[in-house]
Amino acid sequence: MSRNKYAVASRSIWYVLRTLLIITAIVALCLGVFVEGMYVSNLYILVTEGLEARAECILTDGAVLELTEYFTEDFVRNDNALYEGAYDAFTVSSFDYRVDVERVTVLPWNKRANMQVLTQLAAVNAAANDAESGAELPEWVPARYSVALARSGSRWYITGLTLIEENPEMKPVPTPDYSLLPSPTP
């Protein structure tokens, strides 16, 4: 009879331990998914806003120091595009810079992440500072980049931007773009 009590107690203990282990695994999985989602959304916002701010600095000769909110100081110091001055002869009043995120690679326990993005300057409104010089607005080349990011404390920063491909093949827009339709002729 005593054997039977021990068998019941043993099975009960294993049932409780197995159930606790399963519940712990589910909670850990949910926590990992939550942290992963939080990182992905933070990285998406950081990269899209950071690359738009970088394009604005290049086009309008803006304040490079404001980029340290998105980029590391080392990246800003070594980014040649920020200091070339290709658009210094023009006053850019507005532009439409598009960043499409294609892939994100980050794990909840890592302090590094990678993102692949497709960038293009869809439209720009600019006027030459010297109208008589005949200077033409330099063309902004669409490109596919690999963006390297690092976490410092609780914040992410862009640490590198590697060109993968210039003039990549663009996918068609899933919804109609009425601005591309031919204008009606009377």
Side-chain angles (χ1 to χ4, degrees), residues 51 97-98 100-103 115-120 140-147 161-171:
L51 291 178
Y97 186 74
R98 297 181 184 173
D100 295 322
V101 175
E102 296 180 329
R103 184 177 53 206
M115 191 176 269
Q116 185 173 322
V117 297
L118 181 66
T119 64
Q120 67 176 341
W140 189 287
V141 180
R144 180 173 283 122
Y145 291 103
S146 175
V147 182
L161 192 64
T162 307
L163 178 67
I164 297 174
E165 177 184 6
E166 283 187 347
N167 289 321
E169 189 174 319
M170 301 288 189
K171 293 180 183 175

Side-chain angles (χ1 to χ4, degrees), residues 39-48 104 106 113 115 149 156:
Y39 284 170
V40 168
S41 64
N42 284 343
L43 294 175
Y44 180 86
I45 292 169
L46 176 78
V47 168
T48 55
V104 179
V106 62
M115 191 176 269
L149 300 112
W156 289 92

